[in-house]
Amino acid sequence: MRTITFTGALVAAAALSLTAAPSALATPPGDNGTVKIHDAKTGEELRKNEPHVCSFYLDAFGFDGGQEVDWKIVEMPPTGTKGTVADSGSLTLDGEGHGRTDDKTLPDGHYKLVWNFDGEHGEAKHKVFWTECEDDGKPSEEPTGKPSEKPSEEPSEEPTEEPTSSTSPSAAPSAAPSPSPAGGGDLAETGSSAPIGAISAVAAALVGAGGYLIARRRKAQQH
């Protein structure tokens, strides 16, 4: 009876060891955790990845307690050169296998996180993400500053330096000197350009000569 009981105990122990072996092989120490990209406004308790961010941090949980982590962020096409390191750092996880980096910012573009840690048996953890910061204030400054400068300066200066076409017709008549009656007798000229005073003198002489001839003729007839 004792032999049967001992044999049954051995069979049960062997069956238990075979059941536990696959689970031990499936999750070797060091490869248990995961890492996420989180927006800076997202809480650490969220285990959802956020691949489109502006300011962000790296959030790791589920690793072995106290693991040392080395991480780097590399550029990715089409916005960057593949493999070029944009940022890097190291981190020591707490006793529960959790840890996070400080908040970070990168130029807008496409990136890949490479997460290496002590005791890993497989490949490093990877996450691909984009950074895009739209509300930085830059687009609103240029349209309001530059267009308002040129129209206020250039049009106001040029009209004061050069006369417009509306002023040239009035300048010609006003520039011509008005004829003066005492200025050499130009107003008294006729088609022959002789002065009126000279013509009047000749006419008076002719009238006088004619009167003299008439008086002489009458005197001769009386004799």
Side-chain angles (χ1 to χ4, degrees), residues 14-59:
L16 181 62
S17 63
L18 290 175
T19 304
S23 60
L25 294 174
T27 56
D31 290 346
N32 302 317
T34 184
V35 60
K36 305 294 183 182
I37 307 294
H38 277 174
D39 186 276
K41 299 178 182 179
T42 300
E44 297 179 26
E45 68 279 358
L46 182 69
R47 297 200 174 190
K48 179 181 179 182
N49 194 56
E50 296 177 301
H52 295 273
V53 292
C54 176
S55 179
F56 66 97
Y57 67 94
L58 309 179
D59 192 8

Side-chain angles (χ1 to χ4, degrees), residues 169-219:
S170 61
S174 61
S178 59
S180 174
D186 290 342
L187 258 184
E189 292 184 359
T190 62
S192 62
S193 74
I196 293 180
I199 295 175
S200 300
V202 173
L206 291 177
V207 171
Y212 174 75
L213 292 175
I214 293 174
R216 244 182 115 176
R217 185 175 180 184
R218 287 181 180 176
K219 189 175 180 180

Side-chain angles (χ1 to χ4, degrees), residues 55-140:
S55 179
F56 66 97
Y57 67 94
L58 309 179
D59 192 8
F61 37 85
F63 288 90
D64 295 338
Q67 276 186 310
E68 298 289 335
V69 177
D70 291 317
W71 58 268
K72 63 181 178 180
I73 298 174
V74 297
E75 297 178 358
M76 291 285 288
T79 59
T81 304
K82 185 176 181 179
T84 300
V85 177
D87 197 0
S88 62
S90 59
L91 185 66
T92 300
L93 305 181
D94 62 18
E96 297 180 356
H98 172 260
R100 59 156 290 174
T101 64
D102 295 332
D103 292 349
K104 302 183 175 300
T105 56
L106 292 172
D108 291 358
H110 192 202
Y111 298 95
K112 180 179 181 179
L113 168 66
V114 181
W115 183 271
N116 293 100
F117 47 93
D118 291 342
E120 66 181 44
H121 298 278
E123 296 182 354
K125 305 290 183 179
H126 300 96
K127 284 292 181 294
V128 177
F129 64 101
W130 293 80
T131 61
E132 185 176 3
C133 299
E134 296 179 352
D135 300 331
D136 54 5
K138 292 182 179 179
S140 62

